[in-house]
Structure formats: C-alpha cells, structure tokens
Amino acid sequence: MEGSLTVRQISSSTYKDRTEEYKRQFIHLPDTEKLIADYACALQRDILLQGRLYLSENWLCFHSNIFRWETTISIALKNITFMTKEKTARLIPNAIQIVTEGEKFFFTSFGARDRSYLSIFRLWQNALLEKSLTRQEFWQLLQQNYGTELGLNAEEMENLSLSIEDNVQARSTERSSLDDCGERDEKLSKSTSFTCDSINGASETESIDGNLPKAELRKEEPQSEKQMKKSPVLTSEKRLSRVPAKSLDLNKNEYLSLDKSSTSDSVDEENIPEKDLRGRLYINRVFHISAEKMFELLFTSSRFMQRFANSRNIIDVVCTPWNVEPGGDQLRTMTYTIILNNPLTGKCTAASEKQTLYKESREAQFYLVDSEVLTHDVPYHDYFYTLNRYYIIPSSKQKCRLRVSTDLKYRKQPWAIIKSLIEKNSWSSLEDYFKQLESDLIMEESMLNQSTEDPGKHSVLRRRRRTFNRTAETVPKLASRRPSGDGALDAKGDVTGKKKEIESYNTALIVVMSIFLLLLVLLNVTLFLKLSKIEYAAQSFYRLHIQEEKSLNLASDMVSRAENGQKNKDRSHRLKGVLRDSIVMLEELKSSLIMLQRTFDLLNKNKAGMTVDS
C-alpha cells in the first residue's frame, strides 16, 4: 500500500566507479575481494577525518584524503572482536565502533547507521563462521546497495559472476579437504546419536498411540523411518548430507536448513524460480506460518490487516472479493484513505489498489500476487504508480517464505528533479511500510505459535498417562483387588484440602488487594484535599495581590492629581505675574509716547513762530 527508502546511502557514483576507487586505494588486498558496499562516514581521531568506508566479504577498509593528508585503514573482518552502535557526543545516533585486539576505531556521520551496522555485522559473522557468500547472496547485496544500474557492460558482468563462482568453488574445496579428515568421526558419532534419538522418539510415539492396531501404524509410518531402522548410520549420513550448511542471512531473514526428507509436505524452494521485481527487495523471511494462512492474513479482510491498517492510519477500506478473469487470473480491487502528516501533500489522500493473483500460482505450492497502488491526491500522482510483488513459497507444512519486492513505474517521464523527489519520498514511505508489516507478521507468528503449542502439551501429557496405565495393567491382578475405600477417602480429603487452601489463598489475596485499594483511595483523597487547599491559598494570594495593586494604583492617581493641581496653580500664578508686568510695561510705553508727542508739538509750534517772524 505504501513504500520505503533503502537504508543505503544514495550516491551518484556507480558500482563500477566505486570498485575502481577501491582497487586503486587498497592495492595490497587480493583481487578476489569484491566490493559489496561503501558508506560515506568520518573517522574520529584528533579531528574528524571525512572519508569513505568500503566493505567486502573479508575486509573493512577506510580511506580519507583531506588536503592531501591521506589516511588508509584495512581491517580483516575475522580480526574484529567487538562492534557496537554508538552516539556522537552521546546524542546523535550515527556512529559505529569497531574493536580489534589492539585498537578501537570510531566511525561517525553515517547517513543510515542501522543498515550499515547490520551489513557489517552479518559479513563479520560470516567471516567468523568461515562461510562464503553464494552467487545469489552477492548479487542480492549489490542490488540492495547500488540498485540495478551498476555501470558494468555485459563482458564485465560476466567476468564478475565467473570470478564469484571461482571464489566460492575454491573455498568450498579447501574447506571440504580440511574437514574430511578431522570431522568424519565426529559427524558419524553425531549422526548415530541423532538417529538413535529419532528411533527412540518413533518408538515412543508408537507406545503412545497404543490404541491403534499395528496394521494402521505400519501404514502411517513414513518410508524414511523404515529405512532408518534398517541402517541407522547410513541414513544419518544421508540426512547430514542433505542438510545444507547454515549461511548467514543477508536480508533480515533465515535461510532454511530444513531436513526435507523428514517432512513429506515440504516444497523444494530451489525448483521454484524467483520472480522478484527489478526494484528493491524489502522482505525475504521464513515465517512459521503456513502458506495458506499467510495468504489469508495478507489478502483477505482478516483481523491482522484491519489492525495493520489502523496502525498505518488507513481508513475507509473497501475491497471487493476475488473475481476470476477470462485469462485465469484472479483480481481484487481496494480503495482506502491514508491520513498523512506531510504538510506539502495535505491531511489525507485517497488511494486505489489492484491486486492480481496469477493463474500460475498453485495452492500448497506458491502464491504470486502483484499489487498496483495509485495515490490520487499527492503531487505528480498521474506520473507514477507503485508495483508491489508478494511471493509466498511454502517451505514445509507449517512454514513459508515471504518475498516482497517493489518497483516504481512511470506512466510518463518527469523531469530529473521531479523524478528524484518522487523516488525519495516513495522509497522512504515504502521502507517504513514494509518494515512495520514484517514486524507485525513476526508478532502474529509468535501469537499463532503460542496458540498451537498449548494444546500439544496437553495431548502429550494425556498420552503419557495412557502409557502409564498400560504398563500398570501388566502388574498381577491381585494387586488391583486390594480395597480401594481408604484410597478414595484419602483422595477426596486431598482434593477438599487443596480446594480449601486455594479458597483461603484467594480470600487472603482479595483482602490484601482490597486493603491496598483502600489505601490508594485514602491517598488520593488526601492528595485531593491538599491540592484543593493549595488552590484556595493560591487564589486568595492572587486576590490580595490584585487588591494591593488596585490600592497602589488609586494612591498613585491621587498623588498625581494633587501634583497636577499644584502645578496648574503655579502656572496660573506665573501667568498672572507675566500679565501684570506686561501691563506695567505697556503703561510706561504709553506715557513715553505721550511725552514724545508733546515734544513734537512744541517743536512744530517753534517752527511756525519763526516763520511768522521772518
């Protein structure tokens, strides 16, 4: 329904470029060491040395070049004694510490610390167990870390695959030649003890089911156990030869080491071709769930899918039943609404899913289902859709392998920037989705196994009681004729005594629990009273504070008013003085003007008299 970003660090360089860098920087390593993954990180020394960590099947190498100050480290995986996930500055979870016998290496600034740690840890375990990667595992790792575009031409791809096969064959022949001499006796002793235990188990099951006639037991007995009874050593050697060596699972799954001869309903996975998509493989795990039950959990309206949809914030799920198409395939459609937390895409989006069960799927053999998911309300939704492929392969009657691969399909080609944005968001959501699906399936697996183990235990106990009764019947009948009245009374007394003990224990437990609850109630009541008193005191203090503020405000207002009145009086008094002074000055000016006028009149009169006299 959604999708996920692989935890590998996305780089513009191809696998070919990284391989050339790896060979150029680490010349001392043998040519058989092929690069599997590389991670951008930093080595913590006096300063942080930013560089790149290279991972091969047997070596972990680091190279840094800062202003021509080169640092090169090569660590053999088998020399690693300890490795842990660490935090930079005790806060940022992006570091890994590698410990050898004489030195510690602290690598930090990982873009995807958990996935990087998991890859290094698994190859480290392979090196300690002296297990080599198969061709399929190697290509699977390359696809996870570098995608499908490796930058190699056809000839280089062929040479790489041939070199991988040669390395695997050389290591297998070396180990077989070393192990043949030293471990043959140990294998024979283990095989004889293993077959003896299996024979004892078979005889015990025959004694348990003693009510069945011998003819039916012979019919139900498997042919492999008949041969084992004839020649236990030879059959044990055959079993050991059939069991493959346990290799480390490089994709969060367990590769089966099943004894296929012991289960008549087992299916050979090697005969069923892998039909993964060219995109990315997210789930490849063996579950202790039958294939039919797995199909029912994932592709019906089961409670598991309802709980999973609720946990993923998927609502309004409407699905149609499986309908047979004219070509023989079966088709089912689903519509639902996904609640989103991304502010760029809105609060929710409608999605439609078309699931196709191909006609080549056979019940009790394998199930192949393709799911096309189209989200309608996200940006550029008309450019792409997601194709998920679910591949359910039964490993035995109660086990199956689930492989889930996914790919992004484009209806029309977008620009490069838009394509990178689409892929980044799609892969990140797909990873989160399938990681949660795998964890929920593991929880469902544990719940189913617990429900199936309990009745098995009761049946074993019941059958053992039958065997005890059958052996007791062989005792002479005189012993059974002894008086049973006292025994019955003793048994009844024991039963009643046990019942009284249980009742007294239950009553004591009830009394203790009631006292404990009463104490809790009292504590809650006292706490409530204290809180109420604290609240009342806080309210009263708040009221007093408000009153004090009001009184202070009133006093300040009165003082300010008085000061304003006094200021106004002073201003009016000053104004009156100014007016008086101006009046006096005006009167003096008036008198001076009058005097000036009089002098002018006298002058005019004198001039007139002088003119008359002349």
Side-chain angles (χ1 to χ4, degrees), residues 197-390:
D197 293 339
S198 60
I199 291 169
N200 293 331
S203 61
E204 185 180 355
T205 54
E206 288 179 2
S207 64
I208 286 170
D209 297 331
N211 296 326
L212 294 174
K214 293 181 178 179
E216 293 182 2
L217 286 174
R218 288 172 185 172
K219 289 179 182 178
E220 293 177 358
E221 185 179 12
Q223 190 69 21
S224 61
E225 291 194 6
K226 291 181 181 179
Q227 296 175 357
M228 181 183 63
K229 291 178 182 178
K230 292 179 182 179
S231 57
V233 177
L234 293 176
T235 52
S236 63
E237 288 181 354
K238 290 180 180 178
R239 285 189 177 187
L240 288 172
S241 64
R242 286 177 185 177
V243 176
K246 288 185 179 180
S247 63
L248 189 65
D249 184 2
L250 300 167
N251 201 11
K252 289 187 179 180
N253 50 29
E254 47 177 329
Y255 286 94
L256 285 175
S257 58
L258 294 173
D259 185 5
K260 296 182 181 179
S261 62
S262 63
T263 56
S264 59
D265 296 330
S266 64
V267 177
D268 191 0
E269 294 184 20
E270 296 179 357
N271 295 332
I272 299 176
E274 294 182 0
K275 299 183 179 180
D276 298 331
L277 297 175
R278 296 186 62 185
R280 296 174 183 175
L281 182 66
Y282 288 109
I283 301 177
N284 183 13
R285 187 184 184 92
V286 174
F287 293 91
H288 291 264
I289 303 173
S290 63
E292 293 80 6
K293 184 66 177 177
M294 180 65 74
F295 182 82
E296 179 184 350
L297 290 175
L298 295 177
F299 300 106
T300 60
S301 299
S302 59
R303 291 184 179 179
F304 170 78
M305 288 306 296
Q306 292 175 3
R307 292 195 301 268
F308 181 71
N310 292 331
S311 65
R312 297 293 301 175
N313 293 327
I314 298 173
I315 59 174
D316 301 334
V317 180
V318 178
C319 58
T320 62
W322 288 99
N323 298 319
V324 181
E325 295 294 308
D329 299 336
Q330 296 186 35
L331 184 65
R332 186 175 82 142
T333 59
M334 295 178 63
T335 57
Y336 46 86
T337 303
I338 305 171
I339 299 174
L340 303 174
N341 296 322
N342 192 346
L344 299 177
T345 57
K347 295 182 179 180
C348 61
T349 178
S352 60
E353 183 172 351
K354 184 174 72 172
Q355 298 175 353
T356 305
L357 175 62
Y358 290 103
K359 63 180 180 180
E360 57 192 57
S361 303
R362 297 183 297 276
E363 189 174 358
Q365 292 293 325
F366 66 91
Y367 296 90
L368 182 61
V369 180
D370 275 357
S371 172
E372 295 181 5
V373 182
L374 179 62
T375 51
H376 301 285
D377 300 324
V378 297
Y380 306 104
H381 64 90
D382 54 339
Y383 279 79
F384 72 101
Y385 65 93
T386 306
L387 180 61
N388 304 325
R389 176 162 292 178
Y390 299 82

Side-chain angles (χ1 to χ4, degrees), residues 319-486:
C319 58
T320 62
W322 288 99
N323 298 319
V324 181
E325 295 294 308
D329 299 336
Q330 296 186 35
L331 184 65
R332 186 175 82 142
T333 59
M334 295 178 63
T335 57
Y336 46 86
T337 303
I338 305 171
I339 299 174
L340 303 174
N341 296 322
N342 192 346
L344 299 177
T345 57
K347 295 182 179 180
C348 61
T349 178
S352 60
E353 183 172 351
K354 184 174 72 172
Q355 298 175 353
T356 305
L357 175 62
Y358 290 103
K359 63 180 180 180
E360 57 192 57
S361 303
R362 297 183 297 276
E363 189 174 358
Q365 292 293 325
F366 66 91
Y367 296 90
L368 182 61
V369 180
D370 275 357
S371 172
E372 295 181 5
V373 182
L374 179 62
T375 51
H376 301 285
D377 300 324
V378 297
Y380 306 104
H381 64 90
D382 54 339
Y383 279 79
F384 72 101
Y385 65 93
T386 306
L387 180 61
N388 304 325
R389 176 162 292 178
Y390 299 82
Y391 201 19
I392 304 172
I393 309 168
S395 302
S396 66
K397 193 172 182 179
Q398 296 298 330
K399 290 184 181 180
C400 72
R401 178 180 292 277
L402 176 63
R403 297 176 65 91
V404 180
S405 56
T406 186
D407 196 7
L408 289 177
K409 302 291 185 180
Y410 291 95
R411 294 181 173 176
K412 48 186 177 180
Q413 196 65 24
W415 291 347
I417 299 175
I418 297 173
K419 187 176 181 180
S420 63
L421 181 64
I422 290 171
E423 290 181 353
K424 181 180 178 181
N425 293 328
S426 299
W427 292 129
S428 61
S429 58
L430 278 169
E431 181 187 11
D432 186 31
Y433 176 81
F434 286 116
K435 190 182 292 183
Q436 184 174 353
L437 178 63
E438 185 177 4
S439 63
D440 289 359
L441 283 173
I442 292 171
M443 293 176 62
E444 186 72 16
E445 175 190 15
S446 62
M447 292 171 62
L448 291 173
N449 291 333
Q450 287 178 1
S451 62
T452 54
E453 283 176 2
D454 295 336
K457 293 179 181 177
H458 294 301
S459 64
V460 170
L461 292 174
R462 185 169 60 253
R463 287 178 178 176
R464 287 183 179 175
R465 286 177 184 173
R466 287 180 184 174
T467 58
F468 177 76
N469 292 331
R470 289 185 62 205
T471 55
E473 288 176 358
T474 59
V475 181
K477 293 182 180 180
L478 292 173
S480 64
R481 293 179 183 176
R482 63 186 177 182
S484 61
D486 296 335

